[in-house]
Amino acid sequence: MGDLTNSDFYSKNQRSESSHGGDFGCSLEELRSLMELRGTEAVVKIKETYGDTEAICRRLKTSPVEGLPGTAPDLEKRKQVFGQNFIPPKKPKTFLQLVWEALQDVTLIILEIAAIISLGLSFYHPPGESNEGCATAQAGAEDEGEAEAGWIEGAAILLSVICVVLVTAFNDWSKEKQFRGLQSRIEQEQKFTVVRAGQVVQIPVAEIVVGDIAQIKYGDLLPADGIFIQGNDLKIDESSLTGESDQVRKSVDKDPMLLSGTHVMEGSGKMVVTAVGVNSQTGIIFTLLGAGGEEEEKKDKKAKQQDGAAAMEMQPLKSAEGGDSDDKKKASLHKKEKSVLQGKLTKLAVQIGKAGLVMSAITVIILVLYFTVDTFVVNKKPWLPECTPVYVQYFVKFFIIGVTVLVVAVPEGLPLAVTISLAYSVKKMMKDNNLVRHLDACETMGNATAICSDKTGTLTTNRMTVVQAYVGDVHYKEVPDPSSINTKTMELLVHAIAINSAYTTKILPPEQEGALPRQVGNKTECGLLGFVLDLKQDYEPVRSQVPEEKLYKVYTFNSVRKSMSTVVRTPDGGFRMYSKGASEIVLKKCCKILSGEGEPRAFRPRDRDEMVKKVIEPMASDGLRTICVAFRDFPGSPEPDWDNENDILNELTCICVVGIEDPVRPEVPEAIRKCQRAGITVRMVTGDNINTARAIAIKCGIIHPGEDFLCLEGKEFNRRIRNEKGEIEQERIDKIWPKLRVLARSSPTDKHTLVKGIIDSTHTEQRQVVAVTGDGTNDGPALKKADVGFAMGIAGTDVAKEASDIILTDDNFSSIVKAVMWGRNVYDSISKFLQFQLTVNVVAVIVAFTGACITQDSPLKAVQMLWVNLIMDTFASLALATEPPTETLLLRKPYGRNKPLISRTMMKNILGHAVYQLTLIFTLLFVGEKLFQIDSGRNAPLHSPPSEHYTIIFNTFVMMQLFNEINARKIHGERNVFDGIFRNPIFCTIVLGTFAIQIVIVQFGGKPFSCSPLQLDQWMWCVFIGLGELVWGQVIATIPTSRLKFLKEAGRLTQKEELPEEDLNEDVEEIDHAERELRRGQILWFRGLNRIQTQIRVVKAFRSSLYEGLEKPESRTSIHNFMAHPEFRIEDSQPHIPLIDDTDLEEDGALKQNPSPPSSLNKNNSAIDSGINLTTDTSKSATSSSLGSPIHSLETSL
């Protein structure tokens, strides 16, 4: 999106503007400069230039109440003058760029060079060619035709390199395309509510134009810039633009500027859109970022661009204040910690690569030595100048053999297998209602050991209906008859429900005949409105009588208040406030209650206790949510101080208490049973009353009567996990979480604390892998902290979706179980591929090595090796990575982080099959010519024609691999390897396809593939030996793994390696072994110094990075990286005590701000915190200090 396109964009706009000059009362430029102002400046500017916001609406030809007329020509014109609400995405890499990237592979480069040298030499005919005395082997079958064909090998190698590169590039390209498809799908699903022609409609974000009247509410991510025109109690988190973590209060007269990409944390209202797309504040910043496109390129490999509003928080933006935006970048598309699988694979690949390198080096050295000794020492040949090219040709041939060994040894199919497997899973998971935003989330899900789920909407249907009520001193077990309720009470009730709920919440007639009425908006409010309709009353007339503009003051619902109140003026000049909320909270504030006659009577604490016992607890134990509706009248003068919430929300009069039922989804109990079978603990975290929560947990099967478990309320939970000073202690959490099943009346902070507590716990031998579901804005921190965050696609707010890894498009808990199944499948697919790949590698390397040492020539030629490598790597990864998951995956416990990738069983299979294959190949190599009565292919001179002998060896080798591919489909030692093979058409196609190509290569490959055509009986023998693999597989399966103690597992992530390698600070010195010999006290002293140095270093880095500009994203040392990703905290498996406890920070931050604490973490601090944590942890794992060591007290005091 370089400068060019943008300057075009602007100049085009300028041109069109001059022609449309008179149409709208303000130009694009004016509006852009207006949106750059903040707070009072903006108010002053609006007053001076336009008069007021109404005037701006008039100039933009829109009405604050009716909105735009919404006619096509008008919208089109607006798009032309003011631009579209769309930020052009980065261009994807072209296919050629991807090809170029694939060519950067080191082994391929070595091969290319070798092939080119080989080609060059084959065309060079020195005068000494005829000289018989150059080399022993040279005499022999060297005739003119053969010398001509010398170029073929080099050309064939180049050709196969090209094949490998094209396949890799194509894979990358399709992956990129899939990702873009996914992004655009996420974007299309992003809708926003606007008013057009007096109707409230939802339109895609890209359709919003300047002049639209948009309705904004709690949890929205603003899609464009605008000016606030009316609303209540609106608070916005602007940290994604300014880096200020405090929530900003918006009001028409003080600060009406709303900016795109910021989050609505509280309240609701309307705004008139003044700038969209590239002209909005975030768009402008994007344009600047696009201008520095080159540096972006590198970064872009990591984070694939998301365009639209979501993208706006991906880059750390500099703000006017000079503070860096160090909040959580919501969409940082790559969690920094490598996923478990990636970590294990990287490590394994490195180990294999090293081994391959050693083998290939030895091969080359042996070949060269053997040749030189044989020629110059044994046969005492002089080195003649005219013979030099011949010798060089020999050396090049040896070099090519060495490189081929290396190529076969390096499993370059691994990254491919992972990508294919993940991409395939992600595609299929779409069908299972899982929209995966981060590829590795799907694999992490397979290791999940705990799921913390919301109740409402996830475990339940989120279709609220009032089923019990307590009105006028009577507890009705079903909806009461309207005639039994006093008219005064009825009128109050209808007003209290109709006015004190978001006007966007409605109940619409059903779409089909006989279906249930549609609930739009907040489901709890829908339940209450439904109650009004069940009482044969109507809420619409009340709302039209008191339109939204007439509401005097609204206290919106948030997780701290747990209630919502609306104030309206009464005809006599006074005020009336309607309130509704969680019954135990609202009842505490009631001092009167309406009696059967509709008259208020006193309501004392002891009446309240009785009501809780007689009404609320019975309702709750039936699994109902209890909501209390109340009101209070205020005199008109003196006007109450509305900001003093504690006095206002008090002395209420209770109208009624209703019990709302939210039935459990029918498929949930089964899904939870599957989870428990699969070794995953399901915990319910809900804002509901504890009795309701417990009743629902029993219905779902989260708790079974008679088990030993805990159900706690948020308050009690906090009391148990904090010490005297009010700090959270990990040991205290460890006492609670293993038994905790239900956490009720919990705040978002409690959810975050619980998730963090479980993840940091060292109580179990495996680190817990936690998945969390969330829908509200305030669930953001918990979703980010969790290993996998699930956001609700329907009920979820934009903020929750941004923080999540997977979006559940149907909000259903059973989809999570599907995700677990797919995740485990990914892990298994990769293990299958590894088991197969490593067998091939071991055999090919050993054959090439020993063959080269004994017969001075590898039995498998370079081109053949490359073909084997191609089928075995690329095709097998496709075949084995696309196995569909089965229910049996849910019958085992999760693998956990420390489980090695290659288990003992797999090691047994790899070595067992290798033994079979090697035995047969060596038999064929040394006695094959006798068995088949053919000429021996050993010790053939340079450029001799391909022998049948070596062709049989090559063919047998490939046949064995093909049948072993079928064996590799099972990794847990199952007997039936054909089980479900026809459910995977890709697998069958690839096996048959490979077989067909092999026939072509052998029969018609000729010189390039060093093959000579085989007879039918020879083919039958090759296939027969291949079939032996399946029989041998059964033999191996009979050997009990438990007997083979000597087998090592591989690919295990040890505690220290859980830190991704590159993230270890290079400058933290490892403590060497000699130091261990020193006395313990001295060691501790060293460690103390070490740690203090590290911390000073962090502080310095932190200071300096605040003053420098944004460093290039590459530089690892910059602490910006940590600031942009609080998840960067390296979760060490050793218990660590962070320097600053962020949950406390959060509360302090809250006290500083205002009586209602914000739900977001105090982000700046947690960023610093994570920075320091990172370093301390690293030094800790380097020094592995024990818990009891005094250094810990030093650390905490620091």
Side-chain angles (χ1 to χ4, degrees), residues 196-215:
R196 286 199 178 162
Q199 290 295 314
V200 176
V201 287
Q202 283 213 330
I203 58 170
V205 169
E207 297 292 308
I208 293 178
V209 294
V210 170
D212 257 325
I213 304 294
Q215 288 198 343

Side-chain angles (χ1 to χ4, degrees), residues 1128-1150:
F1128 203 160
R1129 235 185 259 143
I1130 290 191
E1131 294 312 345
D1132 199 357
S1133 314
Q1134 297 160 352
H1136 64 258
I1137 301 176
L1139 294 184
I1140 314 171
D1141 198 315
D1142 45 319
T1143 23
D1144 284 323
L1145 278 181
E1146 187 178 324
E1147 260 120 50
D1148 300 351

Side-chain angles (χ1 to χ4, degrees), residues 239-252:
S239 57
S240 55
L241 277 182
T242 61
E244 294 295 317
S245 59
D246 300 355
Q247 292 173 17
V248 186
R249 255 209 139 92
K250 298 288 180 185
S251 59
V252 183

Side-chain angles (χ1 to χ4, degrees), residues 742-796:
V742 177
L743 184 58
R745 281 278 175 254
S746 68
S747 69
T749 322
D750 296 339
K751 194 173 189 175
H752 179 255
T753 310
L754 176 66
V755 172
K756 184 172 181 304
I758 296 179
I759 288 180
D760 293 350
S761 169
T762 47
H763 182 79
T764 48
E765 69 276 14
Q766 301 274 1
R767 150 156 141 51
Q768 295 280 312
V769 178
V770 184
V772 170
T773 68
D775 51 6
T777 305
N778 40 28
D779 290 331
L783 286 171
K784 282 208 94 61
K785 179 70 197 163
D787 294 285
V788 183
F790 286 91
M792 301 297 137
I794 304 168

